[in-house]
Structure formats: structure tokens, C-alpha cells
Amino acid sequence: MIGTITAFLISYWFYKSAEATGRNPLVSAGMGFLSYLIPCIIWTLTVTPSLRDAVEHNPGTLSGLFVNYAYILVGVACAIGFKFLHFKQAKS
């Protein structure tokens, strides 16, 4: 649920930024959504299983919370980086 809300917020952020810079808002919103979603999926399929295995050996720590929501942090970081690269080109 938190990941879905985050994806929609990022899409909205890209949409509004595109409107302000004169770019196509729907294309930019789609790019924002994908710049969040693709890293999330890659992280979930490649890194999360090994992290969950490590947490099973040491239960009761806060690392379990990190494992469950790390994909959101990775996706947000990638979307922020992509946004600044994408809209930096529009200004020059």
C-alpha cells in the first residue's frame, strides 16, 4: 500500500514538473512511475530474498522493518535522480 501511494505521488510530482517546464506531462508522469517501479522490482527480486534470509537468523531486530520497506527507499532514490537528470536537460 505504501509503495503504491509513493508511486502515485512520484508520478504526480513528475507531472507537475513537466507542466512547469513545458514538457509533455503524461509522458513525464509515466517516466516517473517507471523510474520508481523498475528499481523497486529489481530490488525486490534480487536483494530482498537474501536480506530476508539474514533477518530469519536474527529475529526481533529493526532490520526486519528495513527489509520490508527498503524497496521504497531504493525506488524513491532512483526516481529523484532520474527527475533531476530528466528536467536538467529541459533547462539547457
Side-chain angles (χ1 to χ4, degrees):
M1 182 72 175
I2 295 172
T4 305
I5 293 169
T6 305
F8 286 126
L9 289 174
I10 287 172
S11 297
Y12 181 74
W13 183 35
F14 271 70
Y15 184 90
K16 284 302 196 183
S17 296
E19 281 185 337
T21 59
R23 289 185 159 214
N24 185 340
L26 292 177
V27 171
S28 294
M31 290 173 65
F33 181 77
L34 291 176
S35 70
Y36 169 79
L37 183 66
I38 291 171
C40 285
I41 290 172
I42 292 171
W43 180 272
T44 300
L45 295 176
T46 59
V47 178
T48 299
S50 60
L51 290 176
R52 286 186 193 247
D53 184 48
V55 170
E56 284 179 13
H57 290 72
N58 191 11
T61 61
L62 287 177
S63 59
L65 185 65
F66 171 75
V67 169
N68 289 333
Y69 297 108
Y71 75 96
I72 295 172
L73 298 175
V74 170
V76 167
C78 290
I80 289 170
F82 185 80
K83 181 195 180 290
F84 287 114
L85 289 176
H86 177 67
F87 287 105
K88 181 179 181 183
Q89 294 174 354
K91 292 178 183 175
S92 52

